[in-house]
């Protein structure tokens, strides 16, 4: 019970009370918890039964654990998991999985856990625009992050180098804009059916998918597909390199054709997305006149609202004075935008993705094989050792919606590159989002994290064996 | 004692006789074994003493273990390692290291081992020409391979894309030819001093370094540096891509300037190399007229002999009818050259590097992020499950000098790519070179290999977690 990541709120280890799972062990499920019971039984390769040593229940959990927490008890005679919601049970199952040894007899550490998250939003972002990743790649990533109680997958679906989601009213977006990526490869895109399947797969792992259409900048793939989105009516050539000057492209904010496009795209996106949030980008719009930017963002926010959704935007969105409920995602490597604290004071919840702390596309060290370094080298301690609750002046803990780790894909040509950049850093960031501040401590964390390496190997994750972690003592 | 790679000749595990190493444990060394004793003490972070529980001795080993083998005995009261040579002791230390748990109390598995190698030459080849690797990278690779009782490091020092060794009489080889590599990067080279240091470092790990100057083909970097090596006197441009047509370059075999070059280069190389072998390439000479090829190779073999060395060449060298003692290195993916069996019948020892079995630059699977596939996908079982002693018709076990795994570097941009391609395949090939045929068995091997993953992680090796290996059961 002393190797869990993220660290639970309360743990009382009781080594003498370990429980041995055998082939005869049964998972007992009450009717309302049968879905998670089946999932647990499948995960542990056990049968379910009307009675059994491992029980799951949606009754009797301490109210303190809330909507996402759980209580877990392991004794010599059995395992009892209680929560108020299916999501709580699912999170408890992730804890239980970590209590099993990776190999050998299945002895589950004895003791008690009471647990619930610090922040509502514990996210990972995957950029499928710069390099395309297949449905299988994304499902694999979902399975990886679910283990660490991450509950949001933000998919960056469009950028200068590619458009990755079928929009039925605008077919050239994927026919043309989806056929490119960094380096000149063939790119790719998700059909609406594939996208719905991804949403459902994420939901089966209690993860909400937040799709991003980056507007009005980072839009070269759209402009290449439809010249009527440009001010001069001329489609620019495809862009397949890594920009030294980001923010060179913009939808034309002075034309109604742009707003028909935005309405159609976000309308279809809203219909595909059961979650409450749509991400509309709004970052690095150096090619958009300020007046046009403000007008565009306000109209786009209206469109999002009319489709029953709330908007998230990168923190530049605050320049447009967005309405209450809009979430600014802070990504700067310096705390230099006073609008963020002002927004927090007005009641906005801030999503924290400071580039110098959680950008997973940064190199670990100068010796890393891939990655950027503009926000610094980020080894495990760099991403772990900061406090989201007090990071930005004027943004106290209650104003923080959560923590999200973006993985931009300019340099990621293969899913093993996702593994390399995300592990072991993403579990560290997941702990910042879930665990209470009082459990924070580098020395204990690195010891716990070290024990996860054999789990990653068993799952085929090609993690980076950072020299900061005592993999063997 | 049941997790060793390579598998020893004889093992008698005795689990009740395990020995616990504590901070007070001492390494006792007889005077003639003090070097390996110091190495062992340093490895285990123990002190040496005139008396101690861990003893090393060059007396009393079973003669059966020969020049490279050892006997190891672990009881409750101590550990005794005996061999006839320092190399034997060194190999025993590698076994002992694997008997220690990677983590926790240092309990050494009890029992007896008697061990010696099947083949004399157990090699790994690293191509530092297509992409340059630094002295530190090569030292790291040496430490990795020594653990698996590999005793030869073949460095492929020159090719079309780069020349990596300082030759004092021909400075433009490194000034010009050393300044390029695949992809257009800055390349690099070893000074003679750095090269001597590498030779000495390898020797400290009981590894012989065999340098290769690839002649007369694969020589564009030399031709770019010195136009007098070409027949038309015109230096070709640097070549920094991956050839679709290999073998496009050739030294001019009809000019004396070529032979002055070969004499100078091989003369300096012989002076830098304490080992008995120089590797002279001789492969893929599609741009060399056959008559010129035979003449060139024969004169070059004379030069090697005059400097007191024996030559190794890729198996095409047999076209020149080389003298006894010359080693042909078989690399084809098909057994289609009758000269190899003929050479074995005449008494040549054959070095086996069949591309479809041991080329570490091949992808594991279609999903591998880097690598070629022209010789097939090579997952762990493909490189492991063949018998060097009966692989080539007409080349019986006694005619096999050994097994060598080449790692060509067209796609290796970073040392982590070496890790990815070499682990876990290189330990598998090392076992083919060391272990007797009767220990061979896939199911037992994959079980043993799985236990090595935490050792690799602890060493920072970014291995590929092949799905063929039961990392966790």
């Amino acid at each position: 019970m002393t190797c869990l990541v993220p660290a639970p709120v309360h743990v009382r280890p009781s080594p003498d009370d370990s429980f041995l799972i055998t082939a005869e062990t049964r998972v007992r499920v009450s009717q309302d918890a049968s879905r998670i019971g089946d999932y647990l039984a499948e995960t542990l390769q056990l049968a379910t039964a009307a009675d059994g040593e491992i029980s799951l229940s949606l009754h009797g959990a301490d109210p303190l654990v809330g909507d996402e927490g759980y209580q877990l008890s392991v004794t010599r005679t059995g395992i009892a998991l209680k929560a108020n919601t299916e999501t709580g049970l699912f999170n408890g199952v992730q804890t239980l999985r970590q209590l099993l040894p990776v190999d050998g007899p299945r002895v589950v550490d004895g003791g008690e856990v009471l647990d619930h998250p610090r922040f509502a939003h514990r996210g990972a972002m995957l950029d499928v625009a710069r390099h395309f990743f297949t449905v299988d790649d994304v499902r694999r990533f979902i399975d990886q992050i679910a283990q660490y109680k991450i509950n949001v997958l933000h998919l960056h679906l469009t950028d200068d180098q590619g458009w990755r989601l079928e929009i039925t009213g605008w077919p050239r977006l994927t026919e043309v804009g989806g056929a490119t990526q960094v380096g000149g490869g063939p790119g790719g895109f998700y059909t609406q059916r594939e996208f719905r399947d991804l949403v459902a797969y994420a939901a089966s792992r209690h993860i909400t998918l937040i799709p991003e259409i980056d507007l009005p900048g980072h839009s070269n793939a759209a402009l290449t597909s439809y010249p009527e989105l440009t001010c001069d009516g001329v489609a620019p050539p495809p862009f397949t390199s890594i920009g030294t000057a980001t923010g060179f492209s913009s939808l034309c904010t002075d034309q109604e054709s742009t707003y028909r496009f935005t309405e159609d795209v976000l309308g279809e996106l809203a219909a595909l997305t059961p979650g409450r949030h749509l991400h509309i980008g709004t970052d690095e719009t150096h090619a958009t006149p300020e007046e046009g930017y403000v007008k565009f963002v306000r109209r786009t926010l209206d469109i999002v609202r009319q489709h029953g959704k709330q908007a998230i935007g990168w923190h530049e969105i605050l320049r447009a004075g967005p309405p209450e409920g809009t979430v600014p995602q802070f990504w700067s490597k310096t705390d230099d935008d006073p609008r963020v604290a002002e927004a927090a004071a007005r009641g906005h919840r801030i999503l924290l993705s400071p580039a110098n702390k959680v950008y997973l596309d940064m190199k670990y060290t100068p010796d890393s094989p891939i990655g950027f370094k503009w926000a610094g080298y980020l080894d495990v301690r760099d991403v772990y050792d900061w406090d989201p609750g007090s990071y930005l002046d004027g943004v106290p803990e209650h104003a923080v919606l959560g923590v999200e780790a973006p993985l931009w894909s300019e340099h990621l040509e293969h899913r093993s590159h996702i593994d390399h950049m995300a592990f072991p850093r993403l579990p560290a960031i997941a702990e910042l989002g879930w665990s209470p501040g009082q459990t924070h401590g580098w020395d204990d964390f690195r010891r716990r994290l070290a024990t996860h390496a054999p789990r990653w190997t068993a799952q085929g994750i090609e993690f980076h064996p950072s020299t900061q972690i005592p993999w063997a003592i």
Side-chain angles (χ1 to χ4, degrees), chain A:
Chain A
M1 294 224 164
T2 59
C3 291
L4 294 165
V5 174
V9 175
H10 296 294
V11 185
R12 195 182 55 75
S14 181
D16 293 341
D17 290 325
S18 297
F19 176 71
L20 177 66
I21 295 178
T22 70
E24 282 69 48
T25 303
R26 291 289 171 268
V27 177
R28 173 162 62 92
V29 290
S30 57
Q31 202 175 358
D32 55 358
S34 67
R35 229 177 347 185
I36 303 292
D38 289 344
Y39 163 74
L40 173 61
E42 190 190 322
T43 301
L44 300 183
Q45 296 181 287
L46 296 172
T48 57
D51 203 357
E53 299 87 346
I54 304 179
S55 69
L56 293 86
S57 173
L58 286 171
H59 299 285
D62 190 320
L64 188 65
V65 304
D67 283 348
E68 296 193 81
Y70 60 90
Q71 276 181 289
L72 180 67
S73 167
V74 180
T75 66
R76 283 188 223 188
T77 54
I79 298 174
L81 177 60
K82 293 177 193 169
N84 298 316
T85 64
E86 279 205 352
T87 298
L89 288 178
F90 182 84
N91 286 325
V93 169
Q94 304 315 313
T95 295
L96 178 52
R97 289 172 66 190
Q98 291 187 13
L99 296 180
L100 264 73
V102 70
D103 209 343
R106 298 202 283 176
V107 178
V108 183
D109 278 1
E112 310 272 344
V113 179
L114 184 149
D115 203 11
H116 50 86
R118 181 178 182 188
F119 296 110
H121 183 124
R122 307 172 301 278
M125 189 212 82
L126 183 63
D127 172 6
V128 296
R130 270 62 174 266
H131 281 96
F132 180 65
F133 289 97
T134 66
V135 168
D136 272 355
D137 292 336
V138 178
R139 288 166 68 115
R140 181 170 182 269
F141 190 59
I142 287 169
D143 282 333
Q144 292 176 358
I145 66 180
Q147 303 175 79
Y148 291 97
K149 302 189 174 75
I150 287 173
N151 66 341
V152 172
L153 174 62
H154 166 184
L155 279 185
H156 183 76
L157 288 166
T158 69
D159 214 299
D160 291 321
Q161 297 94 339
W163 184 284
R164 307 303 177 203
L165 179 64
E166 177 188 25
I167 302 295
T168 57
W170 298 71
R172 287 175 57 83
L173 288 171
T174 43
E175 286 168 19
V176 177
T180 52
Q181 64 179 5
V182 167
F189 66 92
Y190 311 122
T191 64
Q192 294 207 350
R193 183 187 177 132
E194 288 173 328
F195 186 78
R196 282 184 205 276
D197 285 350
L198 270 182
V199 167
Y201 191 78
S204 76
R205 301 298 182 258
H206 292 259
I207 287 174
T208 300
L209 199 151
I210 296 182
E212 176 184 357
I213 304 291
D214 203 344
L215 302 167
H218 287 277
S219 53
N220 195 74
L223 305 180
T224 302
S225 307
Y226 286 100
E228 59 262 47
L229 301 176
T230 68
C231 287
D232 60 5
V234 177
F239 181 73
T240 60
S241 52
I242 297 173
T244 48
T246 47
F248 65 86
S249 59
S250 180
L251 301 179
C252 188
T253 56
D254 291 331
Q255 288 175 182
E256 281 308 304
S257 54
T258 291
Y259 296 96
R260 281 195 299 276
F261 167 82
T262 306
E263 164 61 35
D264 287 354
V265 168
L266 295 179
E268 292 195 25
L269 191 66
L272 289 168
T273 304
R276 70 195 299 198
H277 287 113
L278 302 185
H279 200 303
I280 58 171
T282 73
D283 58 319
E284 296 187 308
T285 52
H286 310 310
T288 316
E290 184 65 13
E291 192 184 352
Y293 176 81
V294 171
K295 180 175 75 173
F296 176 87
V297 171
R298 288 183 180 172
R299 283 186 68 168
T300 303
L301 287 168
D302 278 346
I303 293 169
V304 171
R305 198 184 57 238
Q306 283 158 16
H307 287 285
K309 300 295 181 186
Q310 286 190 319
I312 305 184
W314 301 101
H315 70 269
E316 289 100 317
I317 201 171
L318 294 171
R319 298 208 319 260
E324 203 183 328
T326 306
V327 176
Q329 182 167 10
F330 176 82
W331 67 274
S332 178
K333 68 171 175 170
T334 52
D335 179 9
D336 57 1
D337 191 337
R339 291 187 191 89
V340 178
E342 290 163 17
R346 285 199 309 276
H348 286 275
R349 312 280 305 277
I350 314 294
L351 181 55
L352 290 178
S353 299
N356 56 325
K357 295 296 176 190
V358 299
Y359 262 34
L360 294 175
D361 57 324
M362 294 299 125
K363 293 184 172 201
Y364 288 84
T365 68
D367 193 45
S368 284
I370 51 173
F372 287 111
K373 61 178 182 182
W374 63 262
Y377 299 111
L378 300 184
D379 211 332
V380 185
R381 186 165 190 167
D382 299 297
V383 304
Y384 176 75
D385 234 350
W386 62 287
D387 176 21
S390 62
Y391 181 68
L392 288 181
D393 283 347
V395 182
E397 176 146 349
H398 68 81
V400 173
L401 180 63
V403 180
E404 185 174 296
L407 182 46
W408 303 101
S409 67
E410 283 95 331
H411 292 119
L412 311 185
E413 299 174 11
H414 188 271
R415 70 187 195 181
S416 66
H417 296 157
I418 297 177
D419 294 2
H420 179 90
M421 299 308 256
F423 286 83
R425 293 185 292 196
L426 191 50
I429 298 165
E431 173 147 323
L432 295 184
W434 178 279
S435 304
Q438 77 266 16
T439 65
H440 192 89
W442 171 245
D443 284 335
D444 185 57
F445 173 72
R446 60 204 284 262
R447 179 193 61 72
R448 284 184 281 123
L449 189 68
T451 68
H452 289 236
R455 298 180 192 278
W456 300 332
T457 298
Q459 293 169 35
I461 298 175
E462 307 211 10
F463 63 98
H464 169 62
S466 163
T467 56
Q468 292 189 328
I469 306 302
W471 305 110
I473 297 161

